Amino acid sequence: MSVAETTETRPPAEPAPDRPEAVGAKAGTGTWRGKLAAVAAILGGTALIAVHASFYGHWLIDDAAITFAYSRNVADGFGPVLQPGASPVEGYSNPTWMVLLALGKLVGLFDHGTLFGVNDQILFPKALALACCLGVLVLFYFGAKTLTRRPALVTFLTGAVLAAIPSFVIWCFSGLENSFYALTVAALAVLILRAVQGGRLLSTQVAAGTGLIAMLAALTRPDGIIYAGAYPIVVLLFLKRELLGRSVRAVVVSVAGFAVPYGAYVVFRWFEFGRLVPNTAVAKGQEPPNLDDLARPGEIVSYVGWLVVAIAVACLVMLMIRPSKLRTGLIALLAPFGLTVVAYIVLEYDWMGQLRFATPVWTLGAFGAAVVVVEALSAARLRGRIVLACLLVVAAVSSVSGFYTQGTTYRANVKTAFCIVAERDAQAVNGFADILKLPDTAQVGLIDLGGTSLGSRIRVLDLAGLGDKPIADYLHRADMQGLRDYVFTQAKPELITFIGSWITTLQFDKDPRFDQDYVTIFVNQPIGNMTVDSRNWVSYHVRRDLVDPVKLAELQAYAQKTLPPILELNKTAGLRGCANIQPGMKVS
């Protein structure tokens, strides 16, 4: 089939001789054996992903619990707020994921207690992530049917590759939106692929569908807006002069399918939150990329292994030499894959590590690599197959060894765990608030927001800016003096807690007002390895006008009794679960 034919609005009446669907049907993919192979491939790949995910226990990243708090309040009728009665601030950047969690709460699967003896705040997001991974493999199976005689093999290999990559598994099962983001990117790529292979690229349904899926991606992560360009790029790649008018109309439909619902959400954002972008984007201060950022794809190559990347690229080049239906499909896949790489380049380094923003790269890269390797092996002669197979074994051994090191290293020192924060900070804050008899409208200034926003009975003041507009603005301008002025003269939180080096980052330790206005309840000195022990470098402070020596001694005694056992547990049990986190939780 020629490239030009892929822009026809209807598929050919008869399958072309090299049409993969026809060959696949002949080989048995339309029979019960083919269907059984498809199911086995999808479930087998999903099972491998689940096995790797279990390696990280009950761990969820604390930032995920920020979205949990918003989903709880949306489901309970308080609106998109961090805590009931708080001012609306868009302290999340993943509306679609938040809505999915809220729906889980509404049907009793999330934030109600336990499921099968496990805290549903942990189990439901992980189960939802596994369902998304299953959906990704289902989509890839149907995409592979247009490219190869062996769609089940390609699907299983894709699942196995994704299961082997710690970066993919860690972040898909972290409680964050990565798994759903992977699903949207896979859906967009497969829709475009099948449309190109079926000669329906310019159909209104395909155009509108790509726009809507891109909208879902953009509302799952802010950088997802880049995928609105996938369909126009593919139309441009296959543009024919005689179909220029239809091509323009199709692109307009796709752009409208994206812009209308996405624009509606931006309007809602403006009226509800008073911003055109999420508050998180303001606080983090995303800067435009520079020339040095062009080298960032090297991080991905280093992570997965240069040899396996070189083999995949060599197979791709070999298959792209001759015009074929396979080449046409690979060109269609390269457009969204290229956008995943561009998005990774644009985004700044993320403190959470393990290439958190590379999830879409892994998703489409694994599928593309599986396709080109399987087809290259099929196309090669015996000697070529032997050489390629040997190279693949060497590359796989090298990459798996690196993956094992990455996974075990992260498992030994997971980043800021949701349960650690809830048990360490929320319980301590509630205990202090009860001793001081503070009203629920009192505030605690803090850094780790997620678990505390779920478990604190008093209001949280996010000193890291994600959940607070004024502080986000100060951080965006790098105005630490203005931030501290706001805290000391306007917010005046009754309690303040710092973790790690944040007290130095925000320069509270150099501001004389901190010692004048606040007195320390408890401090765990920063000793030991910065990477391993920073989760325990914690301090708690109370406003001086709220305590006398007797009350301060009571607070300090409570802290000395309750905090050391938790901090000791944190050193070795970062993967542990915890009881369902609800406002007012305290150490029994």
Side-chain angles (χ1 to χ4, degrees):
M1 179 181 286
S2 69
V3 171
E5 285 179 293
T6 64
T7 58
E8 294 296 329
T9 57
R10 295 181 183 277
E14 295 296 331
D18 65 340
R19 187 175 177 86
E21 294 96 333
V23 177
K26 185 176 179 180
T29 57
T31 67
W32 68 269
R33 289 184 180 179
K35 293 176 181 177
L36 182 61
V39 172
I42 292 167
L43 293 182
T46 305
L48 290 176
I49 294 172
V51 168
H52 188 169
S54 69
F55 189 64
Y56 306 102
H58 291 179
W59 170 80
L60 296 177
I61 193 77
D62 185 63
D63 276 30
I66 301 173
T67 305
F68 296 177
Y70 278 97
S71 65
R72 166 192 286 175
N73 292 315
V74 167
D76 287 344
F78 296 108
V81 294
L82 194 58
Q83 292 172 293
S87 299
V89 178
E90 194 177 13
Y92 57 94
S93 57
N94 48 6
T96 54
W97 187 246
M98 185 268 287
V99 169
L100 289 173
L101 294 173
L103 292 174
K105 179 172 174 61
L106 288 173
V107 299
L109 296 177
F110 178 67
D111 196 36
H112 282 271
T114 61
L115 290 172
F116 307 106
V118 179
N119 179 357
D120 61 10
Q121 293 166 333
I122 297 172
L123 184 58
F124 180 72
K126 288 184 178 290
L128 189 56
L130 189 62
C132 289
C133 292
L134 174 69
V136 166
L137 294 184
V138 170
L139 289 167
F140 282 159
Y141 173 77
F142 286 102
K145 286 182 70 176
T146 72
L147 294 171
T148 176
R149 294 184 176 94
R150 301 169 181 82
L153 176 60
V154 166
T155 302
F156 180 75
L157 285 178
T158 302
V161 171
L162 291 176
I165 300 174
S167 171
F168 178 83
V169 176
I170 286 168
W171 294 119
C172 279
F173 291 85
S174 66
L176 293 171
E177 68 285 344
N178 292 60
S179 60
F180 188 72
Y181 196 31
L183 182 64
T184 61
V185 173
L188 179 64
V190 170
L191 177 58
I192 290 174
L193 170 63
R194 289 180 63 85
V196 167
Q197 297 293 77
R200 298 179 296 107
L201 182 61
L202 301 184
S203 73
T204 301
Q205 295 90 338
V206 170
T210 58
L212 290 172
I213 295 172
M215 176 272 299
L216 289 175
L219 293 181
T220 303
R221 274 204 52 80
D223 51 285
I225 193 171
I226 196 172
Y227 298 108
Y231 181 78
I233 290 172
V234 173
V235 170
L236 182 62
L237 288 173
F238 296 130
L239 183 63
K240 287 171 53 179
R241 180 177 299 177
E242 61 270 25
L243 294 175
L244 179 61
R246 279 170 47 198
S247 298
V248 171
R249 286 194 297 271
V251 169
V252 169
V253 169
S254 179
V255 171
F258 169 83
V260 171
Y262 185 76
Y265 184 81
V266 172
V267 171
F268 163 78
R269 173 184 284 155
W270 175 257
F271 283 102
E272 182 71 12
F273 305 113
R275 292 199 190 277
L276 291 176
V277 297
N279 195 68
T280 55
V282 177
K284 293 177 180 179
Q286 172 73 44
E287 298 293 337
N290 54 45
L291 290 178
D292 292 340
D293 292 326
L294 295 177
R296 292 200 64 203
E299 300 169 0
I300 295 173
V301 175
S302 296
Y303 190 97
V304 75
W306 68 267
L307 182 56
V308 72
V309 173
I311 292 172
V313 171
C315 291
L316 174 65
V317 171
M318 184 183 77
L319 296 172
M320 295 285 280
I321 292 175
R322 291 189 309 161
S324 66
K325 188 175 178 65
L326 174 60
R327 187 177 79 166
T328 301
L330 292 175
I331 291 172
L333 274 179
L334 283 173
F337 176 74
L339 291 178
T340 68
V341 177
V342 172
Y344 183 79
I345 291 173
V346 169
L347 291 169
E348 293 187 342
Y349 173 79
D350 180 64
W351 68 270
M352 297 184 196
Q354 284 294 321
L355 307 188
R356 178 165 71 98
F357 297 143
T359 299
V361 180
W362 303 135
T363 303
L364 297 190
F367 177 57
V371 170
V372 298
V373 167
V374 167
E375 288 303 292
L377 282 169
S378 177
R381 295 181 179 179
L382 179 60
R383 183 177 299 176
R385 290 180 183 179
I386 294 173
V387 172
L388 181 54
C390 291
L391 287 173
L392 285 170
V393 170
V394 173
V397 170
S398 175
S399 294
V400 169
S401 175
F403 291 156
Y404 179 78
T405 300
Q406 291 281 357
T408 53
T409 300
Y410 196 84
R411 185 178 188 272
N413 181 41
V414 292
K415 294 291 185 179
T416 317
F418 156 58
C419 286
I420 282 180
V421 171
E423 293 182 344
R424 185 194 67 209
D425 290 348
Q427 292 188 143
V429 166
N430 289 329
F432 299 151
D434 287 353
I435 291 171
L436 295 169
K437 295 182 171 56
L438 296 178
D440 291 349
T441 53
Q443 290 189 101
V444 53
L446 47 73
I447 300 298
D448 290 337
L449 181 63
T452 311
S453 65
L454 280 175
S456 173
R457 74 165 180 84
I458 65 174
R459 298 284 175 84
V460 293
L461 174 69
D462 183 13
L463 299 178
L466 300 182
D468 188 272
K469 286 178 65 176
I471 291 180
D473 290 331
Y474 288 122
L475 289 173
H476 186 75
R477 298 191 297 266
D479 182 5
M480 302 306 168
Q481 179 67 45
L483 186 153
R484 296 194 305 277
D485 290 344
Y486 171 73
V487 171
F488 290 130
T489 64
Q490 296 185 51
K492 299 180 179 179
E494 285 79 357
L495 297 164
I496 293 181
T497 175
F498 288 108
I499 184 69
S501 60
W502 274 93
I503 191 170
T504 301
T505 300
L506 301 179
Q507 301 172 9
F508 273 72
D509 57 339
K510 296 180 181 179
D511 195 314
R513 293 173 295 181
F514 187 52
D515 286 334
Q516 292 170 8
D517 296 351
Y518 289 84
V519 61
T520 298
I521 299 172
F522 178 91
V523 59
N524 199 43
Q525 295 296 336
I527 58 175
N529 181 277
M530 173 63 181
T531 302
V532 175
D533 297 328
S534 61
R535 68 185 68 160
N536 282 344
W537 294 0
V538 64
S539 63
Y540 300 89
H541 314 269
V542 61
R543 219 169 60 204
R544 285 186 181 274
D545 62 317
L546 297 176
V547 295
D548 56 24
V550 174
K551 187 62 69 175
L552 178 60
E554 186 179 357
L555 291 170
Q556 292 173 335
Y558 176 82
Q560 288 293 341
K561 178 182 179 181
T562 59
L563 282 169
I566 295 173
L567 297 180
E568 187 63 29
L569 186 63
N570 289 349
K571 295 178 181 179
T572 57
L575 305 179
R576 71 180 186 272
C578 52
N580 200 265
I581 308 302
Q582 297 295 327
M585 61 176 291
K586 287 197 304 182
V587 177
S588 57

